[in-house]
Amino acid sequence: MRIANLDNRLVLLTDDALAVDVERASAGRFSSDPQQVYSQWAPFRAWAEQAELPQGTPFDPAELGSPAPRPGQLLGIGLNYRAHADETGFTVPDTLPPVFTKFGSSITGPVTRVRLPEGGHTDWEVELVVVIGAQARQVDAESAWQHVAGLTAGQDLSERITQMAGPVPQFSLGKSFPGFTPMGPCLVTPDELADPDDLELGCAVNGESVQKGRTRDLIFSVPALVAKLSAILTLQPGDVIFTGTPSGVGLGRTPQRFLADGDELVSHIKGIGELRQTFHR
Ligand code: ZN
């Protein structure tokens, strides 16, 4: 199943990528609010599997919002691919990866224009993003997928000067400028993917590929992350986890490279879809 946020309304996507409005198709049983569906995830999935849906309507991806626009918690994972940890000069984590938050005001849909912070070094980080579908507290890795509603694509846009400023790094602020958390284009349930633990992801700047990886190379897989995080936090339906970025970020290049006025960044995860950001001063 694929769902999306079309102009702030929850839609189901048909096999032909047409949008069906959930509130109308369910005669009001499920809210039009894309965030609310995660608190009713099991009944929603049961309904969606057997519902007789009306004909969908075509749409422009630029009309999409984030499939989880207002998560209670928005977690980011650092250094979760070995080659990326190496390029940043940090040690590879062994028992627990670095965890930070991206503030919710930075969330957007998949197709946006993003203003570059003045004097900053704005960098790309394509990431697999997990949305929680059932409360998770001290969940083991074996049952972790049962607590996941689905997967989407995300960009963990990062302004490196702010991120590294001060006596300890400011990951949360450096990654939370307006528009720095695009997500989408849709949420895909794990059963739709041949292997949800091995997805190709990448991004390109002005058509030049800069990141390409596979999620099988995550140091802490999706189940491991849900287990590690839920050992400490309670994860609630609708919470979002950015799972970390593969190698190829601008910070790790020689010479370093950052996003400039007019650049276009296209990010993808095979089986999920594409994000498209253009940057301006
Ligand atoms: Zn990241």
Side-chain angles (χ1 to χ4, degrees):
M1 181 179 71
R2 289 166 188 266
I3 59 170
N5 170 354
L6 180 57
D7 202 14
N8 296 313
R9 292 185 67 88
L10 177 66
V11 294
L12 269 166
L13 300 183
T14 67
D15 292 342
D16 313 324
L18 300 173
V20 174
D21 188 274
V22 167
E23 186 193 39
R24 288 195 275 268
S26 70
R29 181 172 168 204
F30 296 101
S31 168
S32 63
D33 178 355
Q35 188 67 40
Q36 272 196 31
V37 73
Y38 302 107
S39 58
Q40 290 180 284
W41 190 246
F44 173 71
R45 282 211 66 172
W47 169 79
E49 267 160 32
Q50 53 74 50
E52 287 202 20
L53 298 176
Q55 178 73 25
T57 52
F59 60 91
D60 178 346
E63 297 173 274
L64 295 172
S66 167
R70 298 184 319 280
Q73 302 184 96
L74 172 49
L75 303 168
I77 305 299
L79 310 178
N80 204 11
Y81 291 82
R82 211 163 290 276
H84 173 62
D86 290 346
E87 74 180 348
T88 60
F90 288 109
T91 312
V92 175
D94 48 11
T95 55
L96 197 62
V99 180
F100 53 91
T101 186
K102 282 170 81 69
F103 293 106
S105 57
S106 62
I107 294 174
T108 71
V111 181
T112 55
R113 268 170 61 79
V114 181
R115 189 175 161 271
L116 292 164
E118 191 127 3
H121 286 169
T122 299
D123 203 350
W124 51 84
E125 293 194 358
V126 65
E127 305 197 8
L128 177 68
V129 176
V130 173
V131 181
I132 297 296
Q135 188 185 82
R137 174 86 193 127
Q138 296 179 333
V139 165
D140 56 24
E142 289 67 36
S143 55
W145 273 117
Q146 295 164 29
H147 298 261
V148 172
L151 301 170
T152 189
Q155 258 292 343
D156 178 18
L157 293 170
S158 302
E159 199 285 282
R160 302 300 190 193
I161 295 175
T162 304
Q163 183 185 339
M164 303 303 183
V168 292
Q170 292 275 17
F171 275 50
S172 300
L173 288 179
K175 292 163 174 279
S176 295
F177 285 88
F180 269 35
T181 310
M183 282 190 265
C186 58
L187 182 104
V188 180
T189 53
D191 59 287
E192 290 271 324
L193 301 160
D195 182 355
D197 287 300
D198 183 19
L199 302 170
E200 181 199 298
L201 73 173
C203 66
V205 179
N206 303 329
E208 178 194 344
S209 172
V210 287
Q211 287 190 286
K212 196 165 195 179
R214 299 198 71 96
T215 61
R216 68 172 178 229
D217 294 325
L218 283 165
I219 298 169
F220 298 93
S221 65
V222 170
L225 287 174
V226 171
K228 293 270 180 188
L229 291 169
S230 76
I232 298 173
L233 310 168
T234 301
L235 296 172
Q236 300 288 3
D239 282 357
V240 166
I241 305 167
F242 273 62
T243 59
T245 199
S247 63
V249 298
L251 178 74
R253 290 172 175 262
T254 312
Q256 291 185 334
R257 176 175 171 187
F258 300 107
L259 291 161
D261 192 20
D263 278 352
E264 182 187 53
L265 175 66
V266 177
S267 314
H268 78 276
I269 300 183
K270 228 175 194 171
I272 296 176
E274 193 176 271
L275 311 174
R276 188 173 293 265
Q277 273 60 57
T278 53
F279 294 87
H280 68 99
R281 290 272 172 217

